[in-house]
Amino acid sequence: IIWSEADTHGIAYMRVMFDTSGLNEEDLQYASFLKDILGEMDTDRHGYRDLFDELLLNTGGISFSLDPWAVRVSEPGGKDYRGLLSAEIRTLDDKVPDGLSLALEMIMDTVLDDPERMMELILEAKSRMRVRIDSAMHMTAVARASSYFSAAQRYVDLTGGIAYCDFIGGAAGLVREERGMERFIASLKKVAAKLFTKGNVSFALYG
């Protein structure tokens, strides 16, 4: 737990972080999709539309990211980054418990067994990635080239670049196969079980 006291004018900024070092490359791609659908599917307690209303009432927003953070290399050949899936939460000071509760609900209690909604989100992700790449082809190409000699850039490519776009395209095809959706959801659950554990979480509070 990291706590930094600062004058934030009554607003608390929280970050819940999960280390992705235990995931292989395929798992990382599932984790990237998982972070995009948290808050976009029902949970055990709320439908996703009701959850959106709760977020508006109790927070200034909860967003999820998956990024490599630079770290000091402690031994030759060691990684120069640490991959983290993070939930960033903004609330008024008196709403900290509500904001944290909603974030944990999204992380731990999202109902993944909804094939119809899952299909919608996969197709939305495929369309969004295609638009993103088409609108920034040069930067995307540079990032892809960098991924061949930088482990951190490889991480970026797997979770948000051309490699991830290929993954989403493959997922859109997989879920149309017999029992393909079942296999896709099972893989998401496996990655969530690896990632979202008590021993793999850090927490930071600024306010």
Side-chain angles (χ1 to χ4, degrees):
I1 297 175
I2 303 168
W3 176 53
S4 297
E5 187 173 6
D7 182 7
T8 56
H9 305 287
I11 300 174
Y13 299 89
M14 293 172 282
R15 187 187 293 266
V16 183
M17 298 164 284
F18 296 89
D19 193 333
T20 65
S21 59
L23 304 182
N24 61 34
E25 289 193 347
E26 183 181 21
D27 288 345
L28 275 175
Q29 295 184 305
Y30 278 100
S32 187
F33 180 73
L34 185 62
K35 66 106 168 79
D36 285 340
I37 65 173
L38 296 177
E40 300 292 334
M41 298 192 75
D42 296 348
T43 69
D44 290 338
R45 283 174 280 177
H46 294 96
Y48 69 91
R49 292 185 179 87
D50 293 333
L51 181 62
F52 179 74
D53 292 339
E54 289 294 317
L55 292 172
L56 289 178
L57 285 171
N58 293 288
T59 77
I62 298 177
S63 59
F64 294 87
S65 60
L66 183 58
D67 299 297
W69 292 76
V71 297
R72 181 178 297 175
V73 178
S74 58
E75 57 186 35
K79 285 185 177 180
D80 60 355
Y81 72 93
R82 182 186 183 198
L84 295 174
L85 191 156
S86 304
E88 299 174 23
I89 311 155
R90 297 166 296 283
T91 71
L92 296 175
D93 285 342
D94 62 349
K95 290 285 189 177
V96 165
D98 300 297
L100 187 56
S101 176
L102 285 167
L104 293 177
E105 178 181 341
M106 294 159 71
I107 292 166
M108 305 303 298
D109 298 328
T110 290
V111 178
L112 298 174
D113 293 304
D114 184 347
E116 184 176 347
R117 180 61 177 158
M118 187 69 73
M119 176 65 84
E120 291 175 1
L121 293 172
I122 291 170
L123 295 178
E124 286 177 11
K126 181 182 177 182
S127 176
R128 186 168 59 246
M129 283 303 302
R130 177 51 57 193
V131 170
R132 178 179 168 186
I133 287 176
D134 287 348
S135 64
M137 285 187 176
H138 177 70
M139 291 181 62
T140 303
V142 170
R144 176 68 168 207
S146 299
S147 73
Y148 292 117
F149 55 84
S150 166
Q153 285 300 316
R154 174 64 177 166
Y155 188 102
V156 171
D157 188 50
L158 285 167
T159 59
I162 292 174
Y164 182 67
C165 185
D166 291 343
F167 166 78
I168 290 296
L174 170 65
V175 296
R176 290 187 171 93
E177 298 176 4
E178 184 178 356
R179 303 191 69 179
M181 179 64 81
E182 182 181 334
R183 298 201 303 274
F184 184 80
I185 291 174
S187 294
L188 278 177
K189 288 181 176 180
K190 182 188 75 171
V191 169
K194 284 184 182 179
L195 192 57
F196 300 140
T197 66
K198 290 182 179 178
N200 194 43
V201 65
S202 303
F203 177 76
L205 171 63
Y206 308 92

